[in-house]
Amino acid sequence: MKDLDIEITLSSKKKTIPPFDQLEFGRTFTDHMFIWDYTEGKGWHDPRIVPYQSIALDPAATVFHYGQTVFEGLKAYHTKDEQILLFRPDQNMKRLNRSNDRLCIPKIDEELALSALKQLIAVDRDWVPTVEGTSLYIRPFIIATEPHLGVEPARNYRFMIILSPVGAYYKEGINPVRIAVESDYVRAVAGGTGNAKTAGNYAASLKASESASENGYSQVLWLDGKERQYIEEVGSMNIFFKINGEVITPVLNGSILEGITRKSIIELLKYWNIPVVERKISIHEVQQAYNDGLLEEAFGTGTAAVISPIGELFWQNEKLAINNGEIGQLSKKLYDSLTGIQKGTEPDPFGWTLKL
Amino acid sequence: MKDLDIEITLSSKKKTIPPFDQLEFGRTFTDHMFIWDYTEGKGWHDPRIVPYQSIALDPAATVFHYGQTVFEGLKAYHTKDEQILLFRPDQNMKRLNRSNDRLCIPKIDEELALSALKQLIAVDRDWVPTVEGTSLYIRPFIIATEPHLGVEPARNYRFMIILSPVGAYYKEGINPVRIAVESDYVRAVAGGTGNAKTAGNYAASLKASESASENGYSQVLWLDGKERQYIEEVGSMNIFFKINGEVITPVLNGSILEGITRKSIIELLKYWNIPVVERKISIHEVQQAYNDGLLEEAFGTGTAAVISPIGELFWQNEKLAINNGEIGQLSKKLYDSLTGIQKGTEPDPFGWTLKL
């Protein structure tokens, strides 16, 4: 593996690390951050680790106006034997480059970016929390920095990595969440940016989440933008249903994000010989399965929450209570196995984890 | 009209104003900018005009990650009698608030925002260019500044206005442009953010423009995301067709931007008693009209270019040459009339212009 030669400036004034049992999601950041600049004609240059600080940008920087930005999210876990594990970080770097391609952002060298990520965590390794359910959330992202109001790809970019020690994403923890099926708003459509991890997708989702939240639901279930019946994602997670013994997840169609947790769940189920299929699945089919008593479990998957069981689906004024609003056996088993692999308490037959 | 009480800090080091006959679009900015901050529980506060400078933001600011941002674009014109005219700025502030609503950004007071805009231009009035075809481009925008990685509306925002003296948007000037009909990518779909002026829509458009550009086309014609046949916009402009004496523009459907130039063109045509209709129009209908010799003119409309005649449409390997690739009579008349009103050389029967 290649190493990136990084200039490191250590912080002279360390922050107080917050108590690991009181962490919120994404509000506290570590002592350092990584920066790598891109200049047209020169490529990516001056990789450096510096004290965590504000960045100065021209108010005309493209990112503010035309949203040319991509990001990733992954986690580092503290093991019982004092090691730090990353979960499939190579997959995040690959996806970052796929997002870059869609957003006309110059590609990064995936191995060098991963080297930067490892070096940054090594510098801030005291920030990887040790309490059950916590982890160090890692946010690599790229923004267009050129001050130019013409609608065209920028000539200058900045790649950064910031780190945040986090508790559980949902206050409910692993308890099931209540989800409202979204009928008015659409997250993404084929030909759009739905399968890229870019800011605009998340901005587009806020309004629907706000309405759902006002009605007591924590997330929305997104239907396809074309026929408004096929299930795409739940909030900012992928979704799985267990119907009559078979696990079904919407097939990647260009508007669904290619989740790394999603991919891992599919691989884990196949390894266990549990039937799993990627295909189109409509909300009508889910309702029919519910009516027939065959809808056994439903859960969202993502880096932030890992597995998020769905206890209730609200659709056309009807409440579908899944598994009596309790976490299903398979959801629980997947959560335990996946987080076990991530934290190094379970064997890792796939070689998914990377020791720092 | 209400006035906003603004603290003004003048620049001690004025920049050299560039020659007005050598302006590019959106690369040069004036000496000052306007800033207005929003804090949850406190509202919009501390409106100020300060020297144009970089802004410092936490790398975790929501705008970088989840794209919560909106913007506007309008122009100020220098008249022959040394006055400065704004074109329908109230419409921009109204649209900004509609975009705010879609993006879960707190509303601004439209009159106060317009007051800020006028005061900023007054401070930098020497920058309003005097050469034919030039203007001062005005870019109000709002970004979410709270440092938080959770996907939810931010608690802090910044409203800014920056100014840029500009020449023509297209190097071709008022000459007709060549447009490729886009078959792979989609700009927006009903239920998405297409009718909001927000960054993600523009980020989503870059890839298609890049492909079109490689094939010698300056913009793409966007079709609807659902059936991929109804015409939506052209590049970042609205579009009009003149077919057999009647002017047709796609009806606002939730995914098309409500252009202020578009609205003005419709009002102008009605005033002239020229038949104009807002309705769905498919690319097949345009092709049929072309085949029948009835497609007389086509043009894009927007603040940046005002009127941009379309000389050629490329669709399914066929080149549709419109009006022999020359600017049409009506396009020319609309351009002359609208820019005449904007610059104060033509009467303004609608009361569209606002004197500074």
Side-chain angles (χ1 to χ4, degrees), chain B residues 73-139:
Chain B
L74 66 162
K75 285 176 171 176
Y77 299 86
H78 206 123
T79 68
K80 281 185 185 161
D81 55 348
E82 299 300 318
Q83 287 190 313
I84 292 170
L85 292 182
L86 290 170
F87 184 73
R88 311 190 81 175
D90 56 313
Q91 296 291 324
N92 293 92
M93 295 309 172
K94 275 193 186 127
R95 187 171 62 183
L96 188 63
N97 265 342
R98 288 200 300 274
S99 299
N100 279 338
D101 182 64
R102 181 63 182 85
L103 275 295
C104 301
I105 294 175
K107 294 204 175 179
I108 49 147
D109 181 305
E110 294 165 18
E111 278 192 41
L112 294 183
L114 184 50
S115 164
L117 191 155
K118 287 165 70 179
Q119 292 182 60
L120 178 64
I121 297 171
V123 169
D124 279 341
R125 70 174 295 141
D126 293 346
W127 285 82
V128 185
T130 48
V131 169
E132 175 68 24
T134 63
S135 57
L136 185 72
Y137 184 80
I138 303 159
R139 169 58 58 91

Side-chain angles (χ1 to χ4, degrees), chain A residues 35-258:
Chain A
I35 302 181
W36 202 1
D37 287 317
Y38 179 92
T39 308
E40 195 177 72
K42 193 175 173 184
W44 292 101
H45 60 88
D46 293 314
R48 55 204 187 272
I49 288 172
V50 297
Y52 189 93
Q53 60 193 284
S54 289
I55 53 172
L57 287 177
D58 194 292
T62 316
V63 64
F64 297 135
H65 304 272
Y66 305 131
Q68 219 192 341
T69 176
V70 293
F71 72 90
E72 274 302 323
L74 67 161
K75 285 176 172 176
Y77 299 86
H78 205 122
T79 68
K80 283 185 185 162
D81 55 347
E82 301 298 319
Q83 288 191 309
I84 292 171
L85 292 182
L86 291 169
F87 185 72
R88 311 188 82 173
D90 55 314
Q91 296 291 323
N92 292 93
M93 295 309 172
K94 274 192 186 127
R95 187 171 63 184
L96 188 63
N97 265 342
R98 288 200 299 274
S99 299
N100 279 338
D101 182 64
R102 181 63 183 84
L103 275 297
C104 301
I105 294 176
K107 295 206 174 177
I108 49 147
D109 181 305
E110 294 164 19
E111 279 192 38
L112 294 183
L114 185 50
S115 164
L117 191 155
K118 288 166 71 180
Q119 292 183 58
L120 178 65
I121 297 172
V123 169
D124 279 341
R125 69 174 293 144
D126 292 347
W127 286 82
V128 185
T130 49
V131 170
E132 175 68 26
T134 64
S135 57
L136 184 73
Y137 185 79
I138 303 159
R139 171 57 58 92
F141 65 106
I142 301 176
I143 54 175
T145 55
E146 188 190 13
H148 179 214
L149 296 184
V151 181
E152 60 185 8
R155 297 172 189 166
N156 305 97
Y157 300 87
R158 175 168 280 190
F159 174 89
M160 297 185 68
I161 306 174
I162 57 177
L163 308 173
S164 173
V166 298
Y169 189 79
Y170 297 108
K171 286 176 200 135
E172 301 95 333
I174 180 70
N175 292 322
V177 292
R178 299 171 65 225
I179 303 289
V181 180
E182 178 56 49
S183 305
D184 296 329
Y185 298 104
V186 168
R187 178 187 167 272
V189 69
T193 56
N195 60 351
K197 223 165 159 63
T198 183
N201 296 338
Y202 297 81
S205 79
L206 296 174
K207 187 81 177 167
S209 303
E210 201 174 59
S211 310
S213 176
E214 281 163 12
N215 294 315
Y217 292 90
S218 61
Q219 298 270 332
V220 299
L221 184 72
W222 297 109
L223 301 181
D224 78 284
K226 200 171 165 182
E227 299 187 42
R228 301 282 184 107
Q229 62 160 317
Y230 293 105
I231 291 165
E232 299 237 322
E233 299 191 20
V234 56
S236 47
M237 295 183 289
N238 294 114
I239 190 167
F240 288 76
F241 297 93
K242 182 162 172 263
I243 296 177
N244 199 18
E246 185 186 55
V247 181
I248 303 160
T249 191
V251 65
L252 299 176
N253 60 358
S255 56
I256 294 175
L257 188 79
E258 300 181 33

Side-chain angles (χ1 to χ4, degrees), chain B residues 238 240 249-252 259-266 278 301:
Chain B
N238 294 117
F240 287 77
T249 191
V251 65
L252 299 176
I260 294 159
T261 309
R262 173 188 181 280
K263 184 178 183 171
S264 305
I265 292 289
I266 293 169
E278 299 172 72
T301 67

Side-chain angles (χ1 to χ4, degrees), chain B residues 26-210:
Chain B
R27 291 203 182 270
T28 307
F29 299 90
T30 66
D31 282 315
H32 299 87
M33 63 188 191
F34 172 75
I35 302 181
W36 204 2
D37 287 317
Y38 179 91
T39 308
E40 194 177 72
K42 193 176 174 184
W44 291 101
H45 61 87
D46 293 313
R48 56 204 186 272
I49 288 172
V50 297
Y52 189 94
Q53 61 195 282
S54 290
I55 53 172
L57 287 177
D58 193 293
T62 315
V63 63
F64 297 136
H65 304 272
Y66 306 132
Q68 218 191 342
T69 178
V70 294
F71 72 90
E72 274 301 324
L74 66 162
K75 285 176 171 176
Y77 299 86
H78 206 123
T79 68
K80 281 185 185 161
D81 55 348
E82 299 300 318
Q83 287 190 313
I84 292 170
L85 292 182
L86 290 170
F87 184 73
R88 311 190 81 175
D90 56 313
Q91 296 291 324
N92 293 92
M93 295 309 172
K94 275 193 186 127
R95 187 171 62 183
L96 188 63
N97 265 342
R98 288 200 300 274
S99 299
N100 279 338
D101 182 64
R102 181 63 182 85
L103 275 295
C104 301
I105 294 175
K107 294 204 175 179
I108 49 147
D109 181 305
E110 294 165 18
E111 278 192 41
L112 294 183
L114 184 50
S115 164
L117 191 155
K118 287 165 70 179
Q119 292 182 60
L120 178 64
I121 297 171
V123 169
D124 279 341
R125 70 174 295 141
D126 293 346
W127 285 82
V128 185
T130 48
V131 169
E132 175 68 24
T134 63
S135 57
L136 185 72
Y137 184 80
I138 303 159
R139 169 58 58 91
F141 64 106
I142 301 177
I143 54 175
T145 55
E146 187 191 11
H148 179 213
L149 296 185
V151 181
E152 61 186 6
R155 298 173 188 165
N156 305 99
Y157 298 87
R158 176 166 281 190
F159 174 89
M160 298 185 68
I161 306 175
I162 56 177
L163 308 173
S164 173
V166 298
Y169 188 79
Y170 297 108
K171 287 176 199 136
E172 302 94 334
I174 182 71
N175 292 323
V177 290
R178 301 171 64 225
I179 303 289
V181 179
E182 178 56 49
S183 307
D184 295 329
Y185 297 105
V186 167
R187 177 187 168 272
V189 70
T193 56
N195 60 350
K197 224 166 157 61
T198 184
N201 296 337
Y202 297 81
S205 78
L206 296 174
K207 187 81 180 170
S209 303
E210 201 175 58

